[in-house]
Amino acid sequence: MTATSRAPRRPRIRPRGPPPAPPTPIRTARGARSAAADERVLAEFLEASLRVPDLALPPRAPRKRFFSFPPAPPPPREVPSQALASGDADAALRAASAAAESGAFAVAGAIDASEVREAVEASRAVFAAPDEVKREQLARWFRRKDDEPTAGGEEFCWFRPVSPDEDRALGAALPGSTYRVFRDRMDTVASRMENVAKNAIKVLSDNVKNPKDSALFTEAPSILRLTLHNSCKSKTSWDEFGSTDPPNSHALNIHLSERDRQICLRNQGGSTIFTSPAGSMLVTIGKQVQEWSNGQFRTAVGEVLYEMTDEPGPFISLELVYSPDDLHLSEVGRQARCIDRPKAISFRDQILVVLILLFLFYVFWR
């Protein structure tokens, strides 16, 4: 009897539920069923077997601003020249508020535009002097941006007040009556600019709240700067003039032009471009006044813009860098500070008063 071998049985795994019936193959219209019926059966099968989770996108985060540009400051406030000179309270308050907000204010009606044009035309003969004379005899008054005369422009510095020695040196260096005509016409313009600067200093001195106890004293002379802008440059930046102080170390800067000009005013809050009428002066605050006022009045810088399309030839801009001899408190402000500030009596004086009272009491009431 032969033994028969049997293969081991495989374990049966019972499904937990009946599997879905697979769809029948898709048939063509030639068969018993149509293709449309097969597609419907396939769609029902997929819908029953697939479980697609509900997905939701995260909420959209707000966009971050990487650059934030401050708004452009408004144009400087305008103050009438006569009201500023007469000490009008409203004009003085307007000028002081503008100096505290933007560091600049405009003075209208300070000078006739025709006088400025005559002075500018007279100064063209000064710039037309030979280069050898500018380098040798007039080196103290002339400054050039670049080595080439036609590359960047020139600047003529007229120190105020003019000493007799400087007056003779300028008259001898410039040919004929060039300097005499320039001095007669430009002296009128410079005097008007200095008057506006003095009135502005008085207004700031009357409206300062917490100035430094020491007076603002400087030995730097005031400078009338005449800048010749050539057609190939829209603006020029100058270095210091020898032993004189840079512009920021002065008290005020007065800008004046013979025709309507666009000026870019820059301060810590940004920059703005506005049109300055002919004969109108722009007063900007310097570093001396800011330090003297403990930051109440802000510094600002004004720069004349050159439009090459409207004016193909060079033009001349005027700027007075002003520094007063001293800047004290006004009498009204000084008296108010003395009244408001209580007087402190030292301990030694208090003891002396007590001893005197004790002596009088001992003499009269003994």
Side-chain angles (χ1 to χ4, degrees):
M1 185 176 180
T2 60
T4 58
S5 62
R6 302 175 61 183
R9 297 181 178 179
R10 297 180 180 177
R12 296 182 179 179
I13 300 175
R14 296 182 179 181
R16 295 182 180 180
T24 58
I26 298 176
R27 301 177 182 179
T28 61
R30 293 175 299 179
R33 301 174 62 183
S34 64
D38 294 335
E39 291 178 358
R40 181 174 55 81
V41 173
L42 178 62
E44 292 177 356
F45 171 76
L46 294 177
E47 184 178 359
S49 59
L50 296 179
R51 296 292 183 267
V52 180
D54 296 334
L55 300 178
L57 296 176
R60 187 176 182 180
R63 298 179 64 182
K64 296 182 179 180
R65 293 184 177 181
F66 296 97
F67 300 98
S68 178
F69 297 96
R77 301 181 184 178
E78 190 174 81
V79 180
S81 175
Q82 296 181 355
L84 186 67
S86 61
D88 182 71
D90 183 57
L93 182 60
R94 193 186 311 171
S97 300
E101 293 175 0
S102 61
F105 60 91
V107 180
I111 189 174
D112 189 20
S114 60
E115 297 181 355
V116 184
R117 285 192 291 267
E118 292 178 356
V120 169
E121 291 300 326
S123 64
R124 294 185 184 276
V126 176
F127 284 102
D131 294 338
E132 295 78 8
V133 176
K134 294 179 182 178
R135 287 194 299 264
E136 298 175 1
Q137 303 180 30
L138 301 177
R140 184 174 185 268
W141 293 275
F142 270 97
R143 186 73 174 178
R144 181 169 295 152
K145 170 65 178 178
D146 299 322
D147 295 335
E148 295 296 331
T150 60
E154 295 175 312
E155 187 173 70
F156 178 75
C157 256
W158 201 32
F159 299 92
R160 305 277 301 174
V162 184
S163 64
D165 295 338
E166 293 176 348
D167 196 69
R168 286 192 296 268
L170 289 170
L174 297 175
S177 60
T178 299
Y179 176 69
R180 180 177 57 82
V181 175
F182 166 80
R183 180 189 59 191
D184 295 341
R185 297 182 180 179
M186 190 60 68
D187 188 69
T188 303
V189 176
S191 299
R192 300 287 182 87
M193 299 174 74
E194 289 173 352
N195 291 335
V196 171
K198 292 177 182 178
N199 295 331
I201 288 292
K202 184 178 183 302
V203 166
L204 298 178
S205 177
D206 293 340
N207 292 272
V208 67
K209 296 179 180 179
N210 187 24
K212 291 184 178 180
D213 295 333
S214 60
L216 178 62
F217 179 79
T218 178
E219 296 181 354
S222 298
I223 305 174
L224 180 63
R225 293 182 170 177
L226 290 83
T227 306
L228 178 66
H229 301 263
N230 286 334
S231 59
C232 58
K233 294 288 182 179
S234 60
K235 62 180 181 179
T236 52
S237 57
W238 306 92
D239 299 330
E240 299 181 13
F241 285 86
S243 60
T244 60
D245 295 335
N248 291 334
S249 65
H250 287 73
L252 299 176
N253 290 66
I254 313 294
H255 298 267
L256 176 64
S257 60
E258 82 285 0
R259 52 163 290 184
D260 298 349
R261 298 285 185 188
Q262 284 191 341
I263 297 180
C264 178
L265 180 64
R266 294 176 296 168
N267 52 26
Q268 295 178 353
S271 61
T272 182
I273 298 176
F274 66 97
T275 301
S276 179
S280 178
M281 298 185 188
L282 176 66
V283 181
T284 58
I285 306 302
K287 188 177 180 181
Q288 283 185 355
V289 174
Q290 182 185 22
E291 293 179 352
W292 171 76
S293 63
N294 288 319
Q296 177 183 349
F297 304 122
R298 305 170 60 184
T299 58
V301 177
E303 183 181 11
V304 179
L305 300 181
Y306 178 66
E307 301 177 0
M308 292 183 290
T309 56
D310 297 340
E311 196 169 353
F315 79 94
I316 298 174
S317 62
L318 305 179
E319 178 185 3
L320 177 68
V321 183
Y322 182 76
S323 294
D325 293 337
D326 56 0
L327 183 59
H328 296 279
L329 291 174
S330 61
E331 293 296 332
V332 178
R334 188 181 294 107
Q335 292 176 4
R337 285 167 60 88
C338 293
I339 294 174
D340 297 338
R341 182 181 295 177
K343 294 182 179 180
I345 302 176
S346 63
F347 183 72
R348 180 180 178 182
D349 295 338
Q350 294 178 8
I351 295 178
L352 183 60
V353 171
V354 172
L355 293 177
I356 294 175
L357 293 177
L358 290 176
F359 175 77
L360 294 177
F361 179 80
Y362 179 79
V363 170
F364 292 100
W365 292 93
R366 182 177 177 181

